[in-house]
Amino acid sequence: MEHIVQFAISIDDKTIQNRIEEHAYTDVLNKLTENAVDSIFSYTNAYSRDAMWRNLMVDALQRFLEERKDEIIDKAVNTLADRFQRTKKYREAMGAVIEEDGE
């Protein structure tokens, strides 16, 4: 006995094209990064590669912190002052000072 089964496949070309376009930039960037890393570390073993990455990251972090030291300190001071001003003790102390000075 023979049976004929029909089925249809719907392929949404626009959706496939959109997905390819969305991920193309990331895929190309990842491949370029991989190629650059492989060419930089081509004559190293896994241990020395990790050590070199660690040194590069430490140097980059140090430069980042040195360049933005004042900005980081200002932000930390403002955050700390804002939190301190919200405490009950601060409000009580400011109330006492205002009462003493009469302002």
Side-chain angles (χ1 to χ4, degrees), residues 12-36:
D12 186 2
D13 292 337
K14 193 65 175 170
T15 302
I16 294 171
Q17 180 181 356
N18 288 341
R19 281 202 181 136
I20 290 171
E21 288 174 357
E22 287 173 2
H23 298 290
Y25 177 78
T26 305
D27 292 342
V28 169
L29 188 60
N30 288 342
K31 189 62 177 173
L32 289 173
T33 303
E34 181 183 332
N35 289 344

Side-chain angles (χ1 to χ4, degrees), residues 28-74:
V28 169
L29 188 60
N30 288 342
K31 189 62 177 173
L32 289 173
T33 303
E34 181 183 332
N35 289 344
V37 168
D38 287 345
S39 66
I40 290 171
F41 297 121
S42 61
Y43 300 107
T44 62
N45 59 30
Y47 174 76
S48 61
R49 182 180 287 202
D50 287 344
M52 292 173 81
W53 268 121
R54 192 175 304 110
N55 290 339
L56 288 172
M57 294 304 294
V58 166
D59 292 343
L61 184 59
Q62 281 298 119
R63 281 195 311 274
F64 176 83
L65 292 175
E66 282 297 320
E67 291 171 2
R68 292 170 178 82
K69 179 173 44 176
D70 294 334
E71 182 181 339
I72 292 168
I73 291 171
D74 289 343

